[in-house]
Each structure stands twice: as structure tokens, then as C-alpha cells.
Amino acid sequence: MVSKLTRDDGSSASGIAQAKGQSPYGTRNALLQKHIRAKHGKNVRFDQNTAMELGDFFEDGIIRFAAKKMGLTDVVTVFPEAFTHPFFPVECSLDGTAMANDLTFEDHPEMGIYVPDHEHININGKGIIECKLTKDYPKDYPEDWRGWTQLKTQVEITGCSWGMLVIFSHTANEIRYFFYQRDPAFSEELRILTEDWQQRVKTETYFNPENSDDAYIMFEDIPVAEDVLEMDASY
């Protein structure tokens, strides 16, 4: 994966989980403030830390390892431009794509394979691979904020029929493969969310605050009146 390809002032697949209130790292208003600031030309990007840099460094190898293990072919991990949904205001960048030739998967814990939404999945043609590296111990289910919602959004944007979320835990030295089949219900959910988000960025309309930090965000950029009111002596 290369540097960020998507716009900073609108919805992208990597931010949809936070926009849905699923992220443990930030509220909806925190993300909305970032997009509003970007709309006004402010730089909202930050330098990667070492963990992020190492994640990018190892990503290609993990994707190719996972694809080979799952019998996928024609792996691509370099994409010069972002992908845009043909109808909804949302973009994505990709970690990887691969081709499947009529493959069927079901839960196989011994191999780290899981199909969260179905008993089994049959995949054919091009699909999306989203890769995550973590120090956390592996789980037998995908966390929405750790790539699952992002993968679902990427599948929807690109029009692919399937996706695979690969999560490598370097603490346990274990890997998990979570397979997703495109869901029409999520498509409508994504449309409603991204159209509402676009309108909120345009009108600078925040959500009701979830905590004190949210309340501060809502009023942080409002100019403070220079006039100082003096209280009546009786107080």
C-alpha cells in the first residue's frame, strides 16, 4: 500500500467504521471535524509511527502468503489511484486483489479460516484482500473497526462479489482469514450513511455529542467573543 490516495474531506472505506460509531479510537464527530477542516484547506494528515510503517512494509508479503494458502491467483498489491463508488460519495484505496476460480470455504479454525455471515461461501472471479497487522492476540471473529467494515465498503465500491480480511497477529505469530460475500443490504446502508455524511460536511452539522471531547469539538473552531462581560456587584 502506498500513501493515502483518498480525499481528506469526504467518506473513505477506512473511515466508515468510525463514521458508524464502531471505532474505539475516535467518535463520529472527531472524524467529521477532520473532514470539515480539510474542506477549508487545512492539512489533517499526520506522520506514520513505526508500527504503521512496518505494517506497510510487511503487507505485500502477507497478502501474497495468504493468497497462496487460500488458492488465489493473479495477486495485485499496487494501485496508483483511489477507487470511487459509481453512485455513492465514498472512495477507497486497496491493499490487494486476487482471482478465485470457483473456490468454496467454510469455517476451518485449525487453518484460521472463518466465514462470519454464512455457513460457507463460494467465490469466483476478482475479489478484495484487506490486510491488518496487530499486536493483539487473534480472535475467531472479525471486529468491525479492524478492517471488516472497511472490507465490506471496498467490495461495494469496486463491484466485486467477495473479499477476504487477513489479520496477522505478530504477538502470537498467527493469521486469520475472514471471507465476506457482497451483501445488498449493506449497499443501502452505505448509501444512506455516505449521503448523510456528505451533507454534514457541507453544512458543518455535527452529531449530538457522545462525550465531553465531542462537545469541545463542536465549538472548538467557533471564534470567541472579544467582549468581556462584567458581573453585577451583587453576585
Side-chain angles (χ1 to χ4, degrees):
M1 181 179 175
V2 296
S3 59
K4 189 177 186 326
L5 299 174
T6 54
R7 295 165 56 95
D8 293 324
D9 59 354
S11 295
S12 65
S14 60
I16 293 298
Q18 187 172 350
K20 287 169 63 65
Q22 297 172 335
S23 174
Y25 298 113
T27 64
R28 295 181 297 173
N29 278 343
L31 182 63
L32 190 55
Q33 182 191 52
K34 174 183 174 182
H35 291 174
I36 291 171
R37 286 180 167 180
K39 182 187 72 171
H40 291 292
K42 296 183 179 180
N43 180 15
V44 295
R45 301 195 178 191
F46 56 89
D47 293 332
Q48 288 186 312
N49 58 32
T50 301
M52 293 175 179
E53 291 176 338
L54 285 172
D56 285 349
F57 180 80
F58 289 115
E59 194 171 81
D60 180 84
I62 293 172
I63 289 173
R64 294 184 183 280
F65 173 88
K68 184 177 180 180
K69 282 286 187 180
M70 296 299 104
L72 304 173
T73 61
D74 301 313
V75 176
V76 178
T77 58
V78 177
F79 307 91
E81 298 179 346
F83 295 81
T84 303
H85 196 287
F87 305 111
F88 309 160
V90 59
E91 300 177 327
C92 74
S93 53
L94 298 179
D95 291 340
T97 62
M99 297 295 293
N101 185 13
D102 196 24
L103 300 175
T104 299
F105 294 96
E106 60 185 15
D107 285 358
H108 197 318
E110 292 79 9
M111 292 185 63
I113 299 173
Y114 297 90
V115 185
D117 298 334
H118 304 277
E119 290 185 1
H120 66 273
I121 183 175
N122 180 264
I123 62 176
N124 199 42
K126 181 183 287 188
I128 306 299
I129 301 177
E130 174 62 25
C131 181
K132 298 295 183 185
L133 281 73
T134 177
K135 61 180 175 54
D136 296 341
Y137 282 92
K139 293 181 172 62
D140 296 340
Y141 58 90
E143 295 163 298
D144 288 327
W145 57 271
R146 184 173 276 148
W148 190 240
T149 297
Q150 182 177 355
L151 175 70
K152 293 164 69 173
T153 305
Q154 292 166 334
V155 167
E156 195 61 42
I157 290 172
T158 59
C160 292
S161 62
W162 64 274
M164 178 177 69
L165 172 63
V166 179
I167 301 181
F168 175 68
S169 168
H170 55 76
T171 300
N173 203 31
E174 293 185 19
I175 193 167
R176 295 287 188 270
Y177 313 89
F178 299 103
F179 284 91
Y180 169 73
Q181 190 167 52
R182 189 178 183 184
D183 181 7
F186 180 76
S187 175
E188 178 62 10
E189 182 181 348
L190 183 65
R191 180 191 68 79
I192 293 172
L193 185 148
T194 55
E195 289 180 354
D196 175 72
W197 195 270
Q198 182 184 53
Q199 183 65 16
R200 287 179 181 274
V201 172
K202 180 180 179 180
T203 60
E204 304 189 9
T205 303
Y206 286 97
F207 298 92
N208 291 330
E210 299 175 24
N211 50 40
S212 58
D213 288 339
D214 259 8
Y216 178 77
I217 284 171
M218 296 172 66
F219 301 104
E220 180 182 11
D221 294 330
I222 296 178
V224 178
E226 296 182 0
D227 296 336
V228 178
L229 300 179
E230 294 186 6
M231 298 183 66
D232 187 274
S234 62
Y235 290 95

